[in-house]
Amino acid sequence: MTATLHRTTPTHLHAPLLPDPTAPLYSLEVIAPTRQIPHLSGWTLQAWPVASLGDLTLQARPHDASATPDDLRAALRAAGLTPLGPVRAHR
C-alpha cells in the first residue's frame, strides 16, 4: 500500500492556510445531497452526520476573522449545500 500526497493549495497564494484563532466558530445544519463536505476556500470545516433538520451538522472557522455568517452561507450555497436554520457563533 502506498500513500500519495497532493498539494491542496498553490504555493504562490499568500492567503492564510489555517483558521484565525481569534475568529468565531460558526455552527449550523445543512442539506448535503452527497453527505460529503466540500473544500471551501478560506474556511476550515468539520461535519457530523447528526442533524435534526438536515443531513449534517457543520462547524466552520474562517481563515479571515472578518468573514461573516452571510459569507459562510454564500460559500456553502456555491458548493451545492443548503444551509438550514440560524448560523450560531461560538467564541
Side-chain angles (χ1 to χ4, degrees), residues 10-73:
T11 56
H12 67 277
L13 295 179
H14 297 289
L17 299 178
L18 297 174
D20 182 340
T22 64
L25 178 66
Y26 297 120
S27 63
L28 74 157
E29 292 187 20
V30 296
I31 295 174
T34 63
R35 295 196 181 244
Q36 301 289 322
I37 57 170
H39 171 76
L40 293 185
S41 181
W43 297 86
T44 297
L45 303 175
Q46 289 185 297
W48 292 268
V50 177
S52 59
L53 298 174
D55 298 319
L56 301 170
T57 297
L58 185 75
Q59 283 189 337
R61 188 175 305 268
H63 297 185
D64 177 3
S66 66
T68 67
D70 289 337
D71 296 329
L72 174 59
R73 286 179 172 280

Side-chain angles (χ1 to χ4, degrees), residues 70-85:
D70 289 337
D71 296 329
L72 174 59
R73 286 179 172 280
L76 291 169
R77 284 189 190 104
L81 302 179
T82 303
L84 299 173

Side-chain angles (χ1 to χ4, degrees), residues 4-17:
T4 304
L5 298 176
H6 297 280
R7 186 177 308 259
T8 58
T9 304
T11 56
H12 67 277
L13 295 179
H14 297 289
L17 299 178

